Amino acid sequence: MNAEQRDFVNTIRTSGEALLTIINDILDFSKIESGKMEIEHMPFELALCIEEAFDLFALQASAKKLDLVYNIEPDVPGWILGDVTRLRQIIVNLVNNAVKFTERGEITVRVRRQALEEDRTELRFEVLDTGIGMTREQCDRVFESFTQADSSTSRRYGGTGLGLAICRHLVGLMRGRIWADST
């Protein structure tokens, strides 16, 4: 193919992926809203889950010269019991936003043990980036359905405002909480 044809094919591929993401978000949101979303409890390797999420953004991050880094603290178990698909989905949504809103620097996923209870270990996942940042008001509403940081965000960066709302619901189903801080 010549350069113009490759450009057309790339546009079609990117558009198809964006449409698939929107459809999957709407289906997940519908399941959550109807109470039909269930969380699995199966053992999985934590590092592999994060690496698989990073694989989706390797080209995009490389094109922007961004470093994708993860750090799992030594006291975090290598294997955990939970829903690997939903945890990966949360990490993907958070890293996707970090890549989308970061022009230079790095994106880091850090995992540390937050608390240890009788029958469960609570982990804290942090996604840190060197992106554009948000105001306190934007941080407060970014996890609401169909909401983005401001009206110009969807025009400039795309998205439906569902990804982080889905993350909030999934984290809640896992008996956790999610929030955003920005400086």
Side-chain angles (χ1 to χ4, degrees):
M1 289 188 284
N2 64 37
E4 184 181 35
Q5 290 170 325
R6 277 194 304 275
D7 189 43
F8 289 150
V9 169
N10 190 43
T11 300
I12 292 168
R13 182 188 56 79
T14 303
S15 298
E17 288 172 357
L19 184 57
L20 183 60
T21 298
I22 291 169
I23 291 168
N24 284 333
D25 281 352
I26 291 169
L27 291 173
D28 283 345
F29 192 73
S30 297
K31 279 184 193 176
I32 290 168
E33 289 293 303
S34 68
K36 303 282 189 206
M37 179 71 69
E38 294 186 19
I39 299 297
E40 290 184 356
H41 298 283
M42 302 292 293
F44 66 91
E45 187 177 1
L46 181 57
L48 183 60
C49 173
I50 296 169
E51 289 168 5
E52 289 172 348
F54 275 15
D55 286 346
L56 299 173
F57 302 102
L59 289 175
Q60 191 178 0
S62 177
K64 294 174 89 173
K65 296 182 173 54
L66 299 173
D67 292 324
L68 289 178
V69 179
Y70 72 90
N71 177 20
I72 300 174
E73 297 289 320
D75 64 338
V76 173
W79 285 78
I80 60 176
L81 187 65
D83 192 326
V84 67
T85 302
R86 297 304 173 189
L87 179 59
R88 187 183 315 106
Q89 182 178 5
I90 293 165
I91 294 169
V92 163
N93 272 310
L94 297 174
V95 171
N96 180 47
N97 280 343
V99 170
K100 190 185 304 184
F101 296 106
T102 302
E103 293 304 319
R104 63 182 183 278
E106 74 178 25
I107 294 146
T108 303
V109 173
R110 185 183 320 154
V111 185
R112 44 188 175 156
R113 189 154 68 181
Q114 187 73 15
L116 181 61
E117 296 177 10
E118 291 176 21
D119 64 337
R120 73 183 212 140
T121 299
E122 183 177 304
L123 300 178
R124 178 179 178 133
F125 290 79
E126 297 173 339
V127 178
L128 310 161
D129 65 58
T130 54
I132 62 174
M134 294 184 292
T135 66
R136 179 75 251 151
E137 293 78 26
Q138 290 169 329
C139 287
D140 289 342
R141 70 173 188 264
V142 74
F143 294 101
E144 295 174 12
S145 303
F146 302 107
T147 301
Q148 294 185 328
D150 63 52
S151 59
S152 67
T153 301
S154 62
R155 284 192 305 276
R156 181 166 179 202
Y157 297 102
T160 60
L162 276 178
L164 295 181
I166 291 169
C167 287
R168 179 176 51 90
H169 285 290
L170 291 174
V171 168
L173 288 171
M174 294 177 189
R175 300 188 303 175
R177 60 189 188 95
I178 190 169
W179 68 94
D181 288 318
S182 184
T183 56

